[in-house]
Amino acid sequence: MRKKLLAALAITIATTLSAAGCGGSGTAGGGNTIKVVYWQHLDQNDKKQQKFLGSMKQSFEKAHPGKKVEIVPVTASENDYYTKIQLMMRSPSTAPDLVYEDTALINSDITSGYLKPIDEYVAKWSEWGKFAKAAKAAVSSPTDGKTYAVPDDTDTRGIWYNQELLKKAGIKTPWQPKTWQDILDVARTVKKKLPGVTPMNLYTGQAGGEQSTMQGFEMLLYGTDAAGDSLYDAESKKWITGSQGFKDALKFVHTVYGEDLGLSRSTALGANAGTEVGTKLLPENKLAINIDGSWMANNWLKTGPRPWPEWTKTMASAAMPTQHGQAPGKVSMSGGWAWSIPSKAKNPDLAWKFMKSIKNKAHSTQWNIIESTTAVRTDVAVDPKYLNATPTNKFFTGLVKYTHFRPALPKYPQVSNAITKAMESVTTGQSSVDEAAKTYDQELATAVGSDSTAKGN
């Protein structure tokens, strides 16, 4: 059945690309044309990247007469986008020349042979030295040490809260919770005093994909007492099973949904939860607390899908606390996206020239401002235009010192999927915390091999 579904999806992708004029004929994307694929969010009102890439296409074609850039959006949920671009990259007839990728998937795609190393290009690029070391590490293979992408942006995560709603509930602002218990106590107060308001959002479930894993689970997991070895131990190169930290994180998820402190289960477990939160619940003053990413404000800018001028006075930010307030007291997660050249790209040299253009200093600054993301270029990170573009840029940039990165390993996507299954099972009440943790351990061993796991604290 899975083979049939993948085959059908591959046909759909090829048809889509052909209809877009990007071809599955084997002749498109020749020496004068490149095909650039990116993720178009399911929210069709979010056209920021489409407009940005469109302007980059125009300026590049003007500077390179006779060259053409074909921009191909792939509209899908995050998990489906991952599947679709991997299917595209398998065949020379559908492979893009440039593809937008979550950095968590890069090593999986390297192992699958989908990506071309770009060391020969970056070695001759004077601006490569302007990219932060951590950002470069996220696009490099731990196996061969080669570079496979140019970082596009990064991010941090924290807590967004509605100051007006918390004040109505009797909570003093500015608010900075010191423990998980503080968050739950405020959510319970909101539920009691503000009927009709959803106390908090914690992303969960399989449909949310990495949104659930990073914003919903790992923000908890990496703040537990066992955070040092809670997901993967780099020293022993083992994935961790049976850790108390994992169970504590699942317990928090169970508490939020067991006490009806979060979104309705139908919304929380749907693929559009992020859109619902950013473009409806928050701007309509129907959600008090949201554990989410630094990019949230781009929903409310003039160029965003839901312009909301009042957000600067209504919304405020706080750092996610560690479980019991233990050192360092705060926790964040960072990910990010990057541009890669597939190994089967027809025109990698022209793709590289376009990549250099969109990632130069001026265009990187422009994109980080448009998307409200954390800069990966050190010169952009200190640029006043970037720092002052959005009121929260300084705050979320300041969380970098507390941040953690996902294990950049080929098996991570499978591990992430197992995490979302565990989350969903406790969200729906189908499993207890202990049962969900045990099932996760079993699925983890299947995914990475039992010899690659170790018992946690």
Side-chain angles (χ1 to χ4, degrees), residues 258-273:
E259 295 186 19
D260 293 325
L261 300 176
L263 306 180
S264 67
R265 288 175 179 79
S266 60
T267 299
L269 297 174
N272 293 317

Side-chain angles (χ1 to χ4, degrees), residues 3-154:
K3 289 183 179 179
K4 290 181 180 179
L5 288 172
L6 290 176
L9 185 54
I11 292 171
T12 300
I13 291 168
T15 302
T16 300
L17 292 177
S18 179
C22 302
S25 64
T27 59
N32 291 321
T33 303
I34 57 170
K35 184 169 61 185
V36 179
V37 168
Y38 76 97
W39 176 35
Q40 171 59 53
H41 297 214
L42 290 172
D43 179 7
Q44 290 299 308
N45 292 319
D46 187 354
K47 301 291 187 181
K48 293 186 297 296
Q49 191 164 24
Q50 181 186 77
K51 292 177 181 178
F52 174 75
L53 290 175
S55 68
M56 295 300 100
K57 162 188 165 71
Q58 290 179 0
S59 61
F60 184 80
E61 290 179 347
K62 184 176 181 180
H64 299 81
K67 307 300 182 184
K68 297 293 181 182
V69 179
E70 296 182 357
I71 307 297
V72 183
V74 174
T75 303
S77 67
E78 191 167 357
N79 275 357
D80 286 346
Y81 175 72
Y82 297 159
T83 301
K84 288 180 179 182
I85 60 173
Q86 288 173 338
L87 283 171
M88 286 182 187
M89 291 189 289
R90 288 181 184 179
S91 170
S93 65
T94 55
D97 295 288
L98 199 59
V99 63
Y100 197 54
E101 288 209 287
D102 188 326
T103 54
L105 295 191
I106 284 179
N107 275 288
S108 176
D109 288 345
I110 292 171
T111 301
S112 298
Y114 296 151
L115 302 182
K116 174 182 176 65
I118 59 172
D119 300 81
E120 62 177 308
Y121 295 123
V122 298
K124 301 174 183 176
W125 189 27
S126 61
E127 297 187 46
W128 185 234
K130 298 294 184 180
F131 287 78
K133 290 182 179 180
K136 290 181 179 180
V139 295
S140 300
S141 168
T143 303
D144 62 21
K146 294 180 179 179
T147 299
Y148 286 85
V150 171
D152 187 60
D153 56 41
T154 188

Side-chain angles (χ1 to χ4, degrees), residues 151-170:
D152 187 60
D153 56 41
T154 188
D155 45 46
T156 54
R157 287 153 178 76
I159 300 173
W160 293 83
Y161 65 91
N162 186 309
Q163 301 180 87
E164 295 176 1
L165 291 177
L166 261 59
K167 288 176 183 177
K168 287 182 181 180

